[in-house]
Coordinates of all heavy atoms in Angstrom, one line a residue:
M1 N -94.8 -36.0 89.3 CA -93.9 -35.2 88.5 C -94.8 -34.1 87.7 O -94.3 -33.1 87.6 CB -93.2 -36.1 87.5 CG -92.0 -35.3 86.9 SD -90.8 -34.9 88.2 CE -89.6 -34.2 87.2
K2 N -96.0 -34.5 87.4 CA -96.9 -33.6 86.7 C -97.3 -32.4 87.6 O -97.4 -31.3 87.2 CB -98.1 -34.2 86.3 CG -98.0 -35.2 85.0 CD -99.2 -35.8 84.6 CE -99.0 -36.7 83.4 NZ -100.2 -37.2 82.8
I3 N -97.4 -32.7 88.9 CA -97.8 -31.6 89.9 C -96.7 -30.6 90.0 O -96.8 -29.5 89.9 CB -98.1 -32.2 91.2 CG1 -99.4 -33.0 91.1 CG2 -98.3 -31.2 92.3 CD1 -99.8 -33.8 92.4
L4 N -95.5 -31.2 90.0 CA -94.2 -30.3 90.1 C -94.1 -29.4 88.8 O -93.8 -28.3 88.9 CB -92.9 -31.2 90.3 CG -91.6 -30.5 90.2 CD1 -91.5 -29.4 91.4 CD2 -90.5 -31.4 90.2
S5 N -94.3 -30.1 87.7 CA -94.3 -29.3 86.4 C -95.3 -28.2 86.4 O -95.1 -27.1 86.0 CB -94.5 -30.3 85.3 OG -94.5 -29.6 84.1
A6 N -96.5 -28.6 86.8 CA -97.6 -27.5 86.8 C -97.3 -26.4 87.8 O -97.5 -25.2 87.5 CB -99.0 -28.2 87.2
W7 N -96.8 -26.8 89.0 CA -96.4 -25.8 90.0 C -95.3 -24.9 89.5 O -95.4 -23.6 89.6 CB -96.0 -26.6 91.2 CG -95.5 -25.7 92.4 CD1 -96.3 -25.0 93.3 CD2 -94.2 -25.4 92.7 NE1 -95.6 -24.2 94.1 CE2 -94.3 -24.5 93.9 CE3 -92.9 -25.7 92.3 CZ2 -93.1 -24.0 94.5 CZ3 -91.8 -25.2 92.9 CH2 -91.9 -24.3 94.0
L8 N -94.3 -25.5 88.9 CA -93.2 -24.7 88.4 C -93.6 -23.8 87.2 O -93.2 -22.6 87.2 CB -92.1 -25.6 87.9 CG -90.8 -25.1 87.3 CD1 -90.1 -24.2 88.3 CD2 -89.9 -26.2 86.8
T9 N -94.5 -24.3 86.4 CA -95.0 -23.4 85.3 C -95.8 -22.2 85.8 O -95.6 -21.1 85.4 CB -95.9 -24.2 84.3 OG1 -95.1 -25.3 83.8 CG2 -96.4 -23.4 83.2
A10 N -96.6 -22.4 86.8 CA -97.4 -21.4 87.4 C -96.5 -20.4 88.0 O -96.8 -19.1 87.9 CB -98.3 -22.0 88.5
I11 N -95.5 -20.7 88.7 CA -94.5 -19.8 89.4 C -93.8 -19.0 88.3 O -93.7 -17.8 88.4 CB -93.6 -20.5 90.3 CG1 -94.3 -21.0 91.5 CG2 -92.5 -19.6 90.7 CD1 -93.5 -21.8 92.5
I12 N -93.4 -19.7 87.3 CA -92.6 -19.0 86.2 C -93.5 -18.0 85.5 O -93.1 -16.9 85.1 CB -92.0 -20.0 85.2 CG1 -90.9 -20.7 85.9 CG2 -91.5 -19.3 84.0 CD1 -90.3 -21.9 85.1
I13 N -94.8 -18.4 85.3 CA -95.7 -17.4 84.7 C -95.9 -16.2 85.5 O -96.0 -15.1 85.1 CB -97.0 -18.1 84.3 CG1 -96.8 -19.1 83.1 CG2 -98.1 -17.1 84.0 CD1 -98.0 -20.0 82.9
A14 N -96.1 -16.4 86.8 CA -96.3 -15.4 87.8 C -95.1 -14.4 87.9 O -95.2 -13.2 87.8 CB -96.6 -15.9 89.2
L15 N -93.9 -15.0 87.8 CA -92.6 -14.2 87.7 C -92.6 -13.4 86.4 O -92.2 -12.3 86.4 CB -91.5 -15.1 87.8 CG -91.1 -15.6 89.2 CD1 -90.1 -16.7 89.1 CD2 -90.8 -14.6 90.2
G16 N -93.0 -14.1 85.3 CA -93.0 -13.5 84.0 C -94.0 -12.3 84.0 O -93.7 -11.3 83.3
L17 N -95.0 -12.4 84.6 CA -96.0 -11.2 84.7 C -95.3 -10.0 85.3 O -95.5 -8.9 84.8 CB -97.3 -11.6 85.5 CG -98.3 -12.6 84.9 CD1 -99.3 -13.0 85.9 CD2 -98.9 -11.9 83.6
G18 N -94.6 -10.2 86.3 CA -93.9 -9.1 87.0 C -92.7 -8.6 86.1 O -92.5 -7.4 85.9
L19 N -92.0 -9.5 85.4 CA -90.9 -9.1 84.6 C -91.4 -8.5 83.3 O -90.8 -7.5 82.8 CB -90.0 -10.3 84.3 CG -89.4 -11.0 85.5 CD1 -88.6 -12.2 85.1 CD2 -88.4 -9.9 86.2
L20 N -92.4 -9.0 82.7 CA -92.9 -8.5 81.4 C -93.7 -7.2 81.6 O -93.9 -6.5 80.6 CB -93.7 -9.6 80.7 CG -92.9 -10.9 80.2 CD1 -93.9 -11.9 79.6 CD2 -91.9 -10.5 79.2
A21 N -94.3 -7.0 82.8 CA -95.1 -5.8 82.9 C -94.3 -4.6 83.1 O -94.9 -3.5 83.3 CB -96.0 -6.1 84.1
S22 N -93.0 -4.6 83.1 CA -92.2 -3.4 83.4 C -92.4 -2.4 82.2 O -92.8 -2.9 81.1 CB -90.7 -3.7 83.5 OG -90.3 -4.4 82.4
G23 N -92.0 -1.2 82.4 CA -92.2 -0.2 81.4 C -91.3 -0.4 80.2 O -90.5 -1.3 80.1
P24 N -91.6 0.4 79.1 CA -90.8 0.3 77.9 C -89.3 0.6 78.1 O -89.0 1.4 79.0 CB -91.5 1.3 76.9 CG -92.2 2.3 77.8 CD -92.5 1.5 79.1
A25 N -88.5 0.0 77.3 CA -87.1 0.3 77.4 C -86.8 1.7 77.0 O -87.4 2.3 76.1 CB -86.4 -0.7 76.4
S26 N -85.9 2.2 77.8 CA -85.5 3.7 77.5 C -84.5 3.8 76.4 O -83.6 2.9 76.2 CB -84.9 4.2 78.8 OG -84.2 5.4 78.6
A27 N -84.6 4.8 75.6 CA -83.6 5.0 74.5 C -82.2 5.3 75.2 O -81.2 5.1 74.4 CB -84.0 6.2 73.7
A28 N -82.1 5.7 76.4 CA -80.8 5.9 77.0 C -80.2 4.7 77.5 O -79.0 4.7 77.9 CB -81.0 6.9 78.2
T29 N -80.9 3.5 77.5 CA -80.3 2.3 77.9 C -79.1 1.9 77.1 O -79.2 1.9 75.9 CB -81.3 1.1 77.9 OG1 -82.4 1.5 78.7 CG2 -80.7 -0.2 78.4
S30 N -78.0 1.7 77.7 CA -76.8 1.4 76.9 C -76.7 -0.1 76.5 O -77.2 -1.0 77.2 CB -75.5 1.7 77.7 OG -75.4 0.9 78.9
Y31 N -76.1 -0.4 75.4 CA -75.8 -1.7 75.0 C -74.7 -2.3 75.9 O -73.7 -1.7 76.0 CB -75.4 -1.8 73.5 CG -74.9 -3.1 73.0 CD1 -75.8 -4.2 72.9 CD2 -73.7 -3.4 72.7 CE1 -75.4 -5.4 72.4 CE2 -73.2 -4.6 72.3 CZ -74.1 -5.7 72.1 OH -73.7 -6.9 71.7
C32 N -74.9 -3.5 76.4 CA -74.0 -4.1 77.3 C -73.0 -5.1 76.7 O -72.2 -5.7 77.4 CB -74.7 -4.8 78.5 SG -75.6 -3.6 79.4
G33 N -73.0 -5.2 75.4 CA -72.2 -6.2 74.7 C -72.5 -7.6 74.9 O -71.7 -8.5 74.6
L34 N -73.7 -7.9 75.3 CA -74.2 -9.3 75.5 C -74.4 -9.9 74.1 O -75.0 -9.3 73.2 CB -75.4 -9.3 76.4 CG -75.4 -8.8 77.7 CD1 -76.7 -8.8 78.4 CD2 -74.4 -9.6 78.6
V35 N -73.9 -11.2 74.0 CA -74.1 -11.9 72.8 C -74.8 -13.2 73.1 O -74.3 -14.0 73.9 CB -72.8 -12.2 72.0 CG1 -73.0 -12.9 70.7 CG2 -72.1 -10.9 71.7
W36 N -76.0 -13.4 72.6 CA -76.8 -14.6 72.9 C -77.7 -15.0 71.8 O -77.9 -14.2 70.9 CB -77.6 -14.4 74.2 CG -78.6 -13.3 74.1 CD1 -78.4 -12.0 74.2 CD2 -80.0 -13.3 73.8 NE1 -79.5 -11.2 74.1 CE2 -80.5 -12.1 73.7 CE3 -80.8 -14.5 73.5 CZ2 -81.8 -11.9 73.4 CZ3 -82.1 -14.2 73.2 CH2 -82.6 -12.9 73.2
S37 N -78.1 -16.2 71.8 CA -79.0 -16.7 70.7 C -80.4 -16.8 71.2 O -80.7 -17.1 72.4 CB -78.5 -18.1 70.3 OG -79.4 -18.7 69.5
S38 N -81.4 -16.6 70.3 CA -82.8 -16.9 70.7 C -83.3 -18.2 70.2 O -84.5 -18.4 70.3 CB -83.6 -15.7 70.1 OG -83.5 -15.7 68.7
L39 N -82.4 -19.0 69.9 CA -82.9 -20.4 69.5 C -83.2 -21.2 70.7 O -82.7 -21.1 71.7 CB -81.8 -21.1 68.6 CG -81.3 -20.4 67.3 CD1 -80.1 -21.1 66.7 CD2 -82.4 -20.3 66.4
A40 N -84.1 -22.2 70.4 CA -84.5 -23.1 71.6 C -83.3 -23.9 72.0 O -82.5 -24.3 71.2 CB -85.7 -24.0 71.1
K41 N -83.3 -24.2 73.3 CA -82.3 -25.1 73.9 C -83.0 -26.1 74.8 O -83.9 -25.7 75.6 CB -81.3 -24.2 74.7 CG -80.5 -23.3 73.8 CD -79.5 -22.5 74.7 CE -78.7 -21.5 73.9 NZ -79.3 -20.8 72.8
S42 N -82.6 -27.3 74.7 CA -83.3 -28.3 75.6 C -82.3 -29.5 75.9 O -81.4 -29.8 75.1 CB -84.6 -28.8 75.0 OG -84.3 -29.5 73.8
N43 N -82.7 -30.2 76.9 CA -82.1 -31.5 77.3 C -83.3 -32.3 77.8 O -83.9 -31.9 78.8 CB -81.0 -31.4 78.3 CG -80.5 -32.7 78.8 OD1 -81.1 -33.7 78.5 ND2 -79.4 -32.6 79.6
Q44 N -83.7 -33.4 77.2 CA -85.0 -34.0 77.5 C -84.8 -35.1 78.7 O -85.8 -35.8 79.0 CB -85.6 -34.7 76.2 CG -85.9 -33.8 75.1 CD -86.9 -32.7 75.6 OE1 -87.9 -32.9 76.4 NE2 -86.7 -31.5 75.2
A45 N -83.7 -35.1 79.3 CA -83.5 -36.1 80.4 C -84.5 -35.7 81.5 O -85.0 -34.5 81.6 CB -82.1 -35.9 81.0
M46 N -85.0 -36.7 82.3 CA -85.9 -36.5 83.4 C -85.1 -36.6 84.7 O -84.0 -37.4 84.8 CB -87.0 -37.5 83.3 CG -87.9 -37.4 82.1 SD -88.8 -35.8 82.1 CE -90.0 -36.1 83.2
S47 N -85.6 -36.0 85.8 CA -84.9 -36.1 87.1 C -85.9 -36.2 88.2 O -87.0 -35.7 88.1 CB -84.1 -34.8 87.3 OG -83.6 -34.8 88.6
A48 N -85.5 -36.9 89.3 CA -86.4 -36.9 90.5 C -86.1 -35.8 91.4 O -86.7 -35.8 92.5 CB -86.2 -38.3 91.1
A49 N -85.2 -35.0 91.1 CA -84.8 -33.8 91.9 C -86.0 -32.9 92.2 O -86.9 -32.7 91.3 CB -83.7 -33.1 91.3
S50 N -86.1 -32.3 93.3 CA -87.2 -31.5 93.7 C -86.8 -30.0 93.6 O -85.6 -29.7 94.0 CB -87.8 -31.8 95.0 OG -86.9 -31.7 96.0
V51 N -87.7 -29.1 93.2 CA -87.4 -27.7 93.3 C -87.6 -27.2 94.7 O -88.6 -27.5 95.3 CB -88.4 -27.0 92.3 CG1 -88.2 -25.5 92.4 CG2 -88.2 -27.4 90.9
T52 N -86.6 -26.5 95.2 CA -86.6 -26.0 96.6 C -86.8 -24.5 96.7 O -87.2 -24.0 97.7 CB -85.2 -26.4 97.3 OG1 -84.2 -25.8 96.6 CG2 -85.1 -27.8 97.4
N53 N -86.5 -23.8 95.6 CA -86.7 -22.4 95.6 C -86.6 -21.9 94.1 O -85.9 -22.4 93.3 CB -85.6 -21.7 96.4 CG -85.9 -20.2 96.7 OD1 -87.0 -19.8 96.8 ND2 -84.9 -19.5 97.0
I54 N -87.3 -20.8 93.9 CA -87.2 -20.0 92.6 C -87.1 -18.5 93.0 O -87.8 -18.1 93.8 CB -88.4 -20.3 91.8 CG1 -88.6 -21.7 91.4 CG2 -88.4 -19.5 90.5 CD1 -89.8 -22.1 90.6
R55 N -86.1 -17.9 92.4 CA -85.9 -16.5 92.6 C -85.6 -15.8 91.2 O -85.0 -16.4 90.3 CB -84.9 -16.2 93.6 CG -83.6 -16.8 93.4 CD -82.7 -16.7 94.7 NE -81.3 -17.0 94.4 CZ -80.8 -18.2 94.3 NH1 -81.6 -19.3 94.4 NH2 -79.6 -18.5 94.1
S56 N -85.9 -14.5 91.2 CA -85.5 -13.8 90.0 C -84.8 -12.4 90.4 O -85.0 -12.0 91.5 CB -86.8 -13.5 89.2 OG -87.7 -12.7 90.0
G57 N -84.2 -11.8 89.5 CA -83.5 -10.5 89.6 C -83.5 -9.8 88.4 O -83.5 -10.4 87.3
Q58 N -83.6 -8.5 88.5 CA -83.5 -7.6 87.4 C -82.2 -6.8 87.5 O -81.9 -6.2 88.5 CB -84.7 -6.6 87.4 CG -84.9 -5.9 86.2 CD -86.2 -5.1 86.1 OE1 -86.8 -4.8 87.2 NE2 -86.7 -4.8 85.0
H59 N -81.4 -6.8 86.4 CA -80.2 -6.2 86.3 C -80.2 -5.2 85.2 O -81.2 -5.2 84.3 CB -79.0 -7.2 86.1 CG -79.0 -8.3 87.1 ND1 -78.4 -8.1 88.3 CD2 -79.6 -9.5 87.2 CE1 -78.5 -9.2 89.1 NE2 -79.2 -10.0 88.4
T60 N -79.2 -4.3 85.0 CA -79.2 -3.3 84.0 C -79.3 -3.9 82.6 O -80.1 -3.4 81.8 CB -77.9 -2.5 84.1 OG1 -77.7 -2.0 85.4 CG2 -77.8 -1.4 83.1
C61 N -78.6 -5.0 82.3 CA -78.6 -5.5 80.9 C -79.3 -6.8 80.8 O -79.4 -7.4 79.6 CB -77.2 -5.6 80.4 SG -76.4 -4.0 80.3
F62 N -79.8 -7.4 81.8 CA -80.5 -8.7 81.7 C -81.4 -9.0 82.9 O -81.2 -8.3 83.9 CB -79.5 -9.8 81.5 CG -78.5 -10.0 82.7 CD1 -78.8 -10.8 83.7 CD2 -77.4 -9.2 82.9 CE1 -78.0 -11.0 84.8 CE2 -76.6 -9.3 83.9 CZ -76.8 -10.2 84.9
D63 N -82.3 -9.9 82.8 CA -83.1 -10.4 83.9 C -82.6 -11.8 84.2 O -82.1 -12.5 83.3 CB -84.6 -10.5 83.5 CG -85.1 -9.1 83.4 OD1 -84.7 -8.2 84.1 OD2 -86.1 -8.9 82.5
R64 N -82.7 -12.2 85.4 CA -82.2 -13.6 85.8 C -83.3 -14.4 86.5 O -84.1 -13.8 87.3 CB -81.0 -13.3 86.8 CG -80.4 -14.7 87.4 CD -79.4 -14.4 88.4 NE -78.4 -13.4 88.1 CZ -77.2 -13.7 87.7 NH1 -76.8 -14.9 87.6 NH2 -76.4 -12.7 87.5
L65 N -83.4 -15.7 86.2 CA -84.2 -16.6 86.9 C -83.4 -17.7 87.3 O -82.7 -18.3 86.6 CB -85.3 -17.0 85.9 CG -86.3 -18.1 86.5 CD1 -87.2 -17.5 87.6 CD2 -87.1 -18.7 85.4
V66 N -83.4 -18.0 88.7 CA -82.7 -19.1 89.3 C -83.6 -20.0 89.8 O -84.5 -19.7 90.7 CB -81.8 -18.6 90.3 CG1 -81.0 -19.7 91.0 CG2 -80.8 -17.5 89.8
I67 N -83.4 -21.4 89.5 CA -84.3 -22.5 90.0 C -83.3 -23.3 90.8 O -82.4 -23.9 90.3 CB -84.9 -23.3 88.9 CG1 -85.8 -22.4 88.0 CG2 -85.7 -24.4 89.5 CD1 -86.3 -23.0 86.7
D68 N -83.5 -23.3 92.1 CA -82.7 -24.2 93.0 C -83.3 -25.5 93.1 O -84.5 -25.7 93.3 CB -82.7 -23.6 94.5 CG -81.9 -22.3 94.5 OD1 -81.0 -22.1 93.8 OD2 -82.3 -21.4 95.3
I69 N -82.5 -26.6 92.9 CA -82.9 -28.0 92.9 C -82.2 -28.8 93.9 O -80.9 -28.7 94.0 CB -82.7 -28.5 91.4 CG1 -83.4 -27.7 90.4 CG2 -83.1 -30.0 91.4 CD1 -83.1 -28.1 89.0
K70 N -82.9 -29.6 94.6 CA -82.3 -30.6 95.6 C -82.1 -31.9 94.9 O -83.0 -32.6 94.5 CB -83.1 -30.8 96.8 CG -82.5 -31.7 97.8 CD -83.4 -31.8 99.1 CE -82.6 -32.6 100.2 NZ -83.4 -32.6 101.4
G71 N -80.8 -32.2 94.5 CA -80.5 -33.4 93.7 C -79.8 -32.9 92.5 O -79.5 -31.8 92.2
K72 N -79.6 -33.9 91.6 CA -78.8 -33.7 90.4 C -79.8 -33.1 89.3 O -80.8 -33.7 89.0 CB -78.2 -35.0 89.9 CG -77.4 -34.8 88.7 CD -76.6 -35.9 88.3 CE -75.7 -35.7 87.0 NZ -75.0 -36.8 86.6
A73 N -79.4 -32.0 88.7 CA -80.2 -31.4 87.7 C -80.2 -32.2 86.5 O -79.2 -32.8 86.1 CB -79.6 -30.0 87.4
A74 N -81.2 -32.2 85.7 CA -81.3 -33.1 84.4 C -81.8 -32.2 83.3 O -81.1 -31.5 82.7 CB -82.1 -34.3 84.7
G75 N -83.0 -32.4 83.0 CA -83.6 -31.8 81.8 C -84.2 -30.5 81.9 O -84.6 -30.1 82.9
Y76 N -84.3 -29.9 80.7 CA -84.9 -28.5 80.6 C -85.3 -28.3 79.2 O -84.9 -28.9 78.3 CB -83.9 -27.4 81.1 CG -82.7 -27.4 80.2 CD1 -82.6 -26.6 79.0 CD2 -81.6 -28.2 80.5 CE1 -81.5 -26.7 78.2 CE2 -80.5 -28.2 79.7 CZ -80.4 -27.5 78.6 OH -79.3 -27.5 77.8
N77 N -86.1 -27.3 79.0 CA -86.6 -26.8 77.7 C -86.8 -25.3 77.8 O -87.6 -24.9 78.6 CB -87.9 -27.5 77.3 CG -88.2 -27.2 75.8 OD1 -88.0 -26.1 75.3 ND2 -88.8 -28.2 75.2
V78 N -86.1 -24.6 77.0 CA -86.2 -23.1 77.0 C -86.4 -22.7 75.6 O -85.6 -23.0 74.7 CB -85.0 -22.4 77.6 CG1 -85.1 -20.9 77.6 CG2 -84.7 -23.0 78.9
R79 N -87.5 -21.9 75.4 CA -87.8 -21.4 73.9 C -88.8 -20.3 74.0 O -89.5 -20.1 75.0 CB -88.3 -22.6 73.2 CG -89.7 -23.1 73.6 CD -90.1 -24.4 72.8 NE -91.2 -24.9 73.4 CZ -92.5 -24.9 72.8 NH1 -92.6 -24.2 71.6 NH2 -93.5 -25.4 73.3
Y80 N -88.8 -19.5 72.9 CA -89.7 -18.5 72.8 C -91.0 -19.1 72.2 O -90.9 -20.0 71.4 CB -89.2 -17.3 71.9 CG -88.3 -16.5 72.6 CD1 -86.9 -16.6 72.4 CD2 -88.7 -15.4 73.3 CE1 -86.0 -15.8 73.0 CE2 -87.8 -14.5 73.9 CZ -86.5 -14.7 73.8 OH -85.6 -13.9 74.4
V81 N -92.2 -18.6 72.7 CA -93.4 -19.1 72.2 C -94.3 -17.9 71.8 O -94.1 -16.7 72.3 CB -94.2 -19.9 73.3 CG1 -93.4 -21.2 73.6 CG2 -94.4 -19.1 74.6
S82 N -95.3 -18.1 70.9 CA -96.1 -17.0 70.4 C -97.2 -16.7 71.5 O -97.7 -15.5 71.4 CB -96.7 -17.4 69.1 OG -97.5 -18.6 69.2
R83 N -97.5 -17.6 72.4 CA -98.4 -17.3 73.4 C -98.2 -18.3 74.5 O -97.7 -19.3 74.4 CB -99.9 -17.4 72.9 CG -100.4 -18.7 72.5 CD -101.8 -18.8 72.0 NE -102.1 -20.2 71.8 CZ -103.3 -20.7 71.8 NH1 -104.3 -19.9 72.2 NH2 -103.6 -21.9 71.7
V84 N -98.7 -17.8 75.7 CA -98.5 -18.6 76.9 C -99.8 -19.2 77.3 O -100.9 -18.5 77.2 CB -98.0 -17.7 78.1 CG1 -97.9 -18.6 79.4 CG2 -96.6 -17.1 77.8
V85 N -99.9 -20.6 77.6 CA -101.1 -21.2 77.9 C -101.0 -21.9 79.2 O -100.0 -22.2 79.7 CB -101.5 -22.3 76.8 CG1 -101.7 -21.5 75.4 CG2 -100.4 -23.3 76.7
Q86 N -102.2 -22.1 79.9 CA -102.2 -22.8 81.1 C -102.0 -24.3 80.9 O -102.5 -24.9 80.0 CB -103.6 -22.6 81.8 CG -103.9 -21.1 82.1 CD -105.3 -21.0 82.7 OE1 -105.9 -22.0 83.2 NE2 -105.8 -19.8 82.7
D87 N -101.2 -24.8 81.9 CA -101.1 -26.3 81.8 C -102.4 -27.0 82.1 O -103.2 -26.5 82.9 CB -100.1 -26.8 82.9 CG -98.6 -26.6 82.5 OD1 -98.4 -26.4 81.3 OD2 -97.7 -26.8 83.3
G88 N -102.7 -28.1 81.4 CA -103.9 -28.8 81.7 C -105.0 -28.4 80.8 O -105.4 -29.1 79.9
S89 N -105.4 -27.1 80.9 CA -106.6 -26.6 80.1 C -106.2 -26.1 78.7 O -107.0 -26.2 77.8 CB -107.3 -25.5 80.9 OG -106.5 -24.3 80.8
G90 N -105.0 -25.6 78.6 CA -104.5 -25.0 77.4 C -105.1 -23.7 77.0 O -104.9 -23.1 76.0
L91 N -105.8 -23.1 78.0 CA -106.3 -21.7 77.9 C -105.3 -20.7 77.7 O -104.3 -20.8 78.5 CB -107.3 -21.4 78.9 CG -108.6 -22.3 79.0 CD1 -109.4 -22.1 80.2 CD2 -109.4 -22.2 77.7
P92 N -105.4 -19.7 76.9 CA -104.3 -18.7 76.7 C -104.3 -17.7 78.0 O -105.3 -17.5 78.6 CB -104.7 -17.9 75.5 CG -106.1 -18.3 75.3 CD -106.4 -19.6 75.9
I93 N -103.1 -17.3 78.3 CA -103.0 -16.4 79.4 C -102.6 -15.0 78.8 O -101.6 -15.0 78.0 CB -101.8 -16.8 80.3 CG1 -102.2 -18.2 81.0 CG2 -101.6 -15.7 81.4 CD1 -101.1 -18.8 81.8
K94 N -103.4 -14.0 79.0 CA -103.1 -12.7 78.4 C -101.9 -12.0 79.2 O -102.0 -11.9 80.4 CB -104.3 -11.8 78.5 CG -105.5 -12.3 77.6 CD -106.7 -11.3 77.6 CE -107.7 -11.9 76.8 NZ -108.9 -11.1 76.8
L95 N -100.9 -11.6 78.5 CA -99.7 -11.0 78.9 C -99.4 -9.8 78.1 O -99.6 -9.8 76.8 CB -98.5 -11.9 79.0 CG -98.7 -13.2 79.8 CD1 -97.5 -14.2 79.5 CD2 -98.8 -12.9 81.3
R96 N -98.8 -8.8 78.7 CA -98.2 -7.6 77.9 C -96.9 -8.0 77.4 O -96.2 -8.9 78.0 CB -98.1 -6.4 78.8 CG -99.5 -5.9 79.2 CD -99.4 -4.5 79.9 NE -98.8 -4.8 81.2 CZ -98.6 -3.9 82.2 NH1 -98.8 -2.6 81.9 NH2 -98.1 -4.2 83.3
G97 N -96.4 -7.4 76.3 CA -95.1 -7.6 75.9 C -95.1 -8.2 74.5 O -96.2 -8.7 74.0
G98 N -94.0 -8.3 73.8 CA -93.9 -8.8 72.5 C -93.2 -10.1 72.4 O -93.2 -10.7 71.3
A99 N -92.5 -10.6 73.4 CA -91.8 -11.8 73.4 C -92.1 -12.6 74.7 O -92.2 -12.1 75.8 CB -90.3 -11.6 73.3
F100 N -92.4 -14.0 74.6 CA -92.7 -14.8 75.7 C -91.7 -16.0 75.7 O -91.6 -16.7 74.8 CB -94.1 -15.2 75.7 CG -95.1 -14.1 75.4 CD1 -95.7 -13.9 74.2 CD2 -95.3 -13.2 76.5 CE1 -96.6 -12.9 74.1 CE2 -96.2 -12.2 76.3 CZ -96.8 -12.0 75.1
L101 N -91.0 -16.1 76.8 CA -90.0 -17.1 77.0 C -90.6 -18.2 77.9 O -91.1 -18.0 79.0 CB -88.7 -16.6 77.7 CG -87.5 -17.5 77.8 CD1 -87.1 -17.9 76.4 CD2 -86.5 -16.8 78.6
Q102 N -90.7 -19.5 77.3 CA -91.2 -20.6 78.2 C -90.0 -21.4 78.7 O -89.1 -21.8 77.9 CB -92.0 -21.5 77.3 CG -92.5 -22.7 78.0 CD -93.4 -23.5 77.1 OE1 -94.4 -23.0 76.4 NE2 -93.2 -24.8 77.0
V103 N -90.0 -21.6 80.0 CA -88.9 -22.3 80.7 C -89.6 -23.5 81.4 O -90.5 -23.4 82.2 CB -88.2 -21.4 81.7 CG1 -87.0 -22.2 82.4 CG2 -87.6 -20.2 81.0
T104 N -89.1 -24.7 81.0 CA -89.7 -25.9 81.6 C -88.5 -26.8 82.2 O -87.6 -27.0 81.5 CB -90.4 -26.8 80.6 OG1 -91.4 -26.0 79.9 CG2 -91.1 -28.0 81.3
A105 N -88.6 -27.1 83.5 CA -87.6 -28.0 84.2 C -88.2 -29.4 84.2 O -89.4 -29.5 84.6 CB -87.2 -27.5 85.5
H106 N -87.5 -30.4 83.7 CA -88.0 -31.8 83.7 C -87.5 -32.5 85.0 O -86.4 -32.8 85.2 CB -87.5 -32.6 82.5 CG -87.9 -32.0 81.2 ND1 -89.2 -32.0 80.8 CD2 -87.2 -31.4 80.3 CE1 -89.2 -31.4 79.6 NE2 -88.0 -31.0 79.3

């Protein structure tokens, strides 16, 4: 399970590099009426389900990350962090941007 967690974290960080490296928001970008919270959300349940695919998409008003799982989905942890670190070593990963979202699937 630790290998799956490390693999998943590495892919999410790689995706985040592409998503966070985009240019600055344009003043002409319209507000889409989205209402959401930036508070942490989690479910600490564990699952033996395996990740079969991860994909992302960029839309006008939001970015999307989809994690396909074979089996019943269980736990997750989603929260903003002040810095992103490597699993295992704890070494910081330098990223551009002002906000970093950590997504962990259990």
Side-chain angles (χ1 to χ4, degrees):
M1 195 63 176
K2 286 183 180 184
I3 293 173
L4 175 63
S5 178
W7 178 81
L8 182 58
T9 301
I11 289 176
I12 290 172
I13 288 171
L15 288 171
L17 286 172
L19 296 175
L20 293 173
S22 60
S26 166
T29 303
S30 64
Y31 172 70
C32 296
L34 299 174
V35 179
W36 59 279
S37 169
S38 60
L39 298 176
K41 294 178 178 48
S42 68
N43 176 348
Q44 297 303 319
M46 296 296 282
S47 172
S50 60
V51 174
T52 59
N53 192 29
I54 297 177
R55 58 192 188 280
S56 65
Q58 190 172 22
H59 303 275
T60 303
C61 296
F62 62 94
D63 293 328
R64 178 188 311 258
L65 176 68
V66 178
I67 302 171
D68 294 325
I69 301 172
K70 183 176 183 177
K72 187 174 179 179
Y76 60 89
N77 187 325
V78 179
R79 64 189 174 106
Y80 283 97
V81 294
S82 58
R83 66 182 186 149
V84 177
V85 298
Q86 296 179 18
D87 276 351
S89 71
L91 295 173
I93 299 172
K94 293 181 182 181
L95 299 171
R96 292 186 288 179
F100 307 108
L101 187 64
Q102 177 178 309
V103 179
T104 306
H106 299 292

